[in-house]
């Protein structure tokens, strides 16, 4: 018998219009169910552990009401790409789409305080003026975060020029070290080019996030290899495991290989043989939500974070340097304190977070943790992260099947593009683009 956890609104995956929805537990799983007056009911999996989901979602909404200003924006610079990945979430090269004009880019950059600007594509390195865009962002004090498949970054001279122009960090499409998996997911062998790209990024010490799109039954065995590489190489500041979603070209062919964040987490728990534990991630996620509340930062519930630290060429869980069990008891009191005043709650959180670290005797983590927390307030620039921490994320992209209006309202990224204009929620941008593409396909076939 199913149990309703929340009522919300979502999108019908057929017409992609907003309809009533509810989140339910059924058979030891959590689903979002939608009821469309035209296309009937449907459901999509959003979590495999109801207790994990319910505790975190309740905590999230208790400390993170919507309404905080958006500080991070995706600039969709182009719909063009130098690859044609079978799993492409961005529908690269499929639709007529104007490149985002420089005048619009500059107007946006001039319109706000310090922002993190995610330079995305499809493939943004196809823009001949990418260096100029980065120079303009640096001039205005913004953070330039390049999202790329890395093909052009294998050219050391090109990477050097981007760094000199103002490149702060790179989010590199990196599904592992296996050409076999790349052939399936990306449609071509990538390993040789990846080696050149990693060498160039390391040479110029570019703060790098390795973004691993995990497709069920495909490249799960690559996850630990990527983490071990990060442990050995200090220029890698972050590893994101992105569960495959039904967006763009992945909508049909990869439907059976989609994964939600706690499914990806469960795979890593198994592959790491206990080095990463679900309960530790759950406790740390509460700390992360609490810090977001203190600094009034918008972030999506569908991104679950954890922290690793380097030690002698390898990595270990933050739970070895922080008493998360002690801290969780204090975190559970945080929402009530927050309602009485943000400063009081912030002091309480900082004091007990410090105690939880000192109980493990890790003075180094005190300094690292203070810097990471400050970055939430000032803009999260990966290039500012020191040598020890490795940020770890289990994420998903909102598609029409799992879109949840209440979660989307606090999405941590907005988007600027030529096809759908400005959206302050990246999740809404995803479904708006899918709606537009479906309409284009219908018109083309009629």
């Amino acid at each position: 018998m199913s149990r309703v956890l929340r009522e919300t609104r979502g999108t019908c995956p057929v017409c992609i219009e907003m309809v009533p929805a509810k989140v339910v537990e059924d058979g030891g799983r959590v689903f979002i169910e939608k009821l469309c007056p035209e296309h009937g009911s449907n459901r999509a999996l959003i979590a495999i552990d109801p207790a994990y989901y319910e505790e975190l979602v309740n905590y999230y909404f208790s400390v993170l009401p919507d309404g905080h200003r958006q500080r991070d924006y995706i600039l969709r610079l182009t719909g063009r790409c130098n690859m044609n990945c079978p799993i492409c979430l961005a529908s690269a090269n499929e639709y007529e789409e104007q490149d985002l004009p420089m005048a619009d880019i500059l107007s946006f950059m001039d319109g706000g305080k310090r922002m993190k600007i995610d330079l995305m594509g499809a493939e943004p390195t196809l823009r001949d003026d990418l260096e100029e865009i980065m120079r303009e962002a640096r001039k205005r004090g913004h953070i330039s975060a390049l999202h790329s498949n890395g093909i052009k970054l294998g050219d050391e001279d090109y990477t050097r020029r981007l760094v000199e122009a103002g490149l702060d960090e790179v989010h590199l499409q990196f599904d592992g070290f296996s050409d076999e998996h790349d052939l399936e997911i990306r449609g071509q062998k990538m390993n040789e080019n990846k080696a050149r790209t990693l060498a160039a990024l390391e040479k110029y010490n570019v703060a790098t996030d390795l973004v691993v799109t995990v497709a069920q039954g495909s490249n799960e065995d690559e996850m630990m290899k990527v983490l071990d590489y990060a442990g050995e190489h200090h220029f890698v500041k972050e590893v994101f495991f992105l569960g495959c979603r039904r967006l763009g070209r992945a909508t049909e062919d990869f439907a059976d290989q989609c994964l939600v964040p706690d499914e990806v987490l469960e795979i890593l728990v198994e592959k790491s043989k206990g080095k990463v534990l679900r309960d530790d991630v759950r406790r740390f996620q509460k700390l992360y939500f609490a810090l977001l509340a203190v600094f009034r930062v918008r972030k999506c519930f569908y991104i679950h974070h954890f922290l690793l630290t380097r030690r002698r060429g390898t990595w270990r869980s933050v739970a070895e340097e922080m008493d998360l069990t002690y801290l969780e008891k204090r975190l559970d009191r945080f929402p009530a304190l927050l309602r009485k005043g943000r400063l009081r709650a912030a002091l309480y959180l900082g004091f007990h977070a410090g105690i939880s670290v000192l109980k493990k005797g890790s003075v180094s983590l005190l300094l690292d943790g203070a810097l990471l927390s400050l970055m939430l307030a000032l803009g999260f620039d990966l290039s500012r992260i020191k040598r020890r921490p490795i940020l770890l994320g289990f994420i998903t992209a909102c598609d029409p099947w799992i879109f949840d209006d209440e979660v989307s309202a606090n999405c941590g990224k907005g988007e600027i593009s030529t096809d759908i204009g400005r959206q302050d929620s990246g999740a809404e941008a995803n479904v708006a683009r899918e709606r537009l593409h479906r309409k284009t396909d219908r018109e083309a076939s009629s």
Side-chain angles (χ1 to χ4, degrees):
M1 183 175 179
S2 65
R3 177 171 66 97
V4 177
L5 304 180
R6 284 193 305 114
E7 292 190 356
T8 181
R9 289 177 63 79
T11 45
C12 168
V14 181
C15 62
I16 318 187
E17 296 300 329
M18 292 294 296
V19 296
K22 56 186 177 181
V23 177
V24 301
E25 176 193 351
D26 189 11
R29 295 288 187 267
V30 181
F31 302 88
I32 184 166
E33 295 183 345
K34 291 90 169 278
L35 181 60
C36 177
E38 182 177 355
H39 301 105
S41 63
N42 68 84
R43 60 161 46 178
L45 179 72
I46 57 174
I48 62 171
D49 186 332
Y52 175 91
Y53 173 87
E54 189 170 10
E55 183 171 359
L56 286 182
V57 80
N58 288 341
Y59 197 89
Y60 177 82
F61 284 115
S62 72
V63 299
L64 286 171
D66 60 19
H68 298 322
R69 74 175 180 91
Q70 185 61 272
R71 302 191 305 181
D72 293 0
Y73 279 88
I74 294 166
L75 296 189
R76 185 175 165 96
L77 298 181
T78 181
R80 297 174 290 129
C81 188
N82 48 8
M83 295 180 65
N84 279 293
C85 303
I87 204 172
C88 180
L89 306 183
S91 298
N93 304 321
E94 287 191 46
Y95 299 92
E96 291 186 12
E97 182 180 340
Q98 299 270 331
D99 284 3
L100 191 62
M102 178 62 83
D104 291 355
I105 295 170
L106 295 180
S107 175
F108 169 73
M109 287 184 182
D110 288 334
K113 299 178 182 178
R114 174 180 169 88
M115 294 180 288
K116 185 165 188 173
I117 297 178
D118 291 274
L119 304 170
M120 298 182 70
E123 178 49 48
T125 60
L126 295 190
R127 291 278 298 236
D128 293 334
D129 57 357
L130 184 58
E131 293 171 52
E132 182 184 353
I133 293 170
M134 290 180 178
R135 279 192 291 269
E136 295 294 339
R138 171 178 281 179
K139 188 186 304 181
R140 292 160 174 79
H142 302 311
I143 302 166
S144 289
L146 175 65
H147 295 246
S148 175
N149 58 33
I151 289 178
K152 292 188 68 173
L153 297 177
D155 179 341
E156 285 191 1
D157 184 62
Y158 180 71
T159 298
R160 176 189 57 77
R161 296 201 312 270
L162 292 183
V163 170
E164 292 173 352
L167 174 63
D168 293 301
E169 59 188 59
V170 166
H171 299 259
L172 181 65
Q173 172 192 299
F174 198 90
D175 305 325
F177 295 92
S178 166
D179 275 338
E180 177 185 353
H181 296 132
D182 284 334
L183 279 170
E184 176 188 357
I185 296 174
R186 301 297 167 188
Q188 64 187 68
K189 294 181 179 181
M190 298 287 293
N191 210 26
E192 185 177 331
N193 186 82
K194 285 177 186 176
R196 291 194 298 268
T197 299
L198 291 173
L201 293 173
E202 186 165 30
K203 178 175 180 178
Y204 295 107
N205 196 30
V206 180
T208 299
D209 168 25
L210 300 179
V211 183
V212 182
T213 300
V214 184
Q216 191 170 37
S218 178
N219 61 332
E220 298 100 319
D221 287 341
E222 297 296 301
M223 294 170 68
M224 284 299 295
K225 296 176 185 177
V226 174
L227 274 188
D228 289 341
Y229 179 87
E232 296 168 358
H233 297 269
H234 294 96
F235 76 99
V236 179
K237 306 297 184 181
E238 185 172 56
V239 175
F240 264 6
F241 293 118
L242 168 64
C244 176
R245 290 312 313 165
R246 298 180 70 174
L247 280 170
R249 281 197 286 273
T251 298
E252 299 302 332
D253 291 345
F254 289 84
D256 294 335
Q257 294 178 269
C258 290
L259 293 164
V260 291
D262 79 324
E263 283 185 294
V264 179
L265 167 58
E266 192 61 29
I267 293 169
L268 186 63
V269 168
E270 177 187 347
K271 300 295 183 184
S272 71
K273 299 180 180 177
K275 289 183 71 175
V276 175
L277 298 175
R278 179 180 284 265
D279 279 343
D280 289 337
V281 174
R282 174 181 55 78
R283 294 177 182 119
F284 187 86
Q285 187 70 2
K286 286 184 179 180
L287 171 61
Y288 179 68
F289 289 156
L291 288 169
L292 294 177
V294 165
F295 296 113
R296 294 178 176 173
V297 177
R298 292 172 55 143
K299 287 294 176 183
C300 178
F301 173 73
Y302 287 140
I303 302 178
H304 294 189
H305 286 273
F306 198 51
L307 182 65
L308 310 176
T309 58
R310 291 185 178 88
R311 184 179 177 86
R312 301 192 183 110
T314 184
W315 58 269
R316 62 181 184 176
S317 163
V318 70
E320 295 187 48
E321 299 191 53
M322 190 175 198
D323 190 335
L324 292 173
T325 302
Y326 164 87
L327 185 57
E328 184 176 27
K329 295 177 182 178
R330 282 75 194 172
L331 286 167
D332 288 341
R333 300 172 190 159
F334 176 83
L337 287 173
L338 184 64
R339 289 191 290 271
K340 295 178 181 179
R342 192 163 61 101
L343 178 59
R344 179 179 176 182
L347 293 173
Y348 173 88
L349 179 64
F351 175 79
H352 287 292
I355 293 295
S356 71
V357 173
L358 292 175
K359 284 170 71 70
K360 294 281 189 173
S362 179
V363 177
S364 297
L365 187 59
L366 275 180
L367 301 175
D368 292 333
L371 176 60
L372 291 171
S373 299
L374 186 62
M375 287 169 58
L376 283 174
L378 301 179
F380 214 86
D381 181 352
L382 292 184
S383 69
R384 303 296 183 187
I385 295 178
K386 302 302 181 184
R387 291 170 63 87
R388 291 183 71 249
I390 307 171
L391 306 180
L392 179 59
F394 309 93
I395 66 176
T396 193
C398 283
D399 62 24
W401 279 260
I402 66 169
F403 181 87
D404 181 329
D405 188 49
E406 290 186 347
V407 171
S408 169
N410 213 22
C411 183
K413 291 189 184 298
E415 182 180 309
I416 311 293
S417 66
T418 58
D419 57 350
I420 58 171
R422 176 171 180 154
Q423 295 277 352
D424 280 343
S425 164
E428 293 180 12
N430 284 349
V431 297
R433 182 165 289 109
E434 286 296 300
R435 187 183 298 117
L436 175 64
H437 289 171
R438 300 275 184 91
K439 179 183 177 182
T440 301
D441 292 343
R442 287 194 302 268
E443 291 174 349
S445 62
S446 62

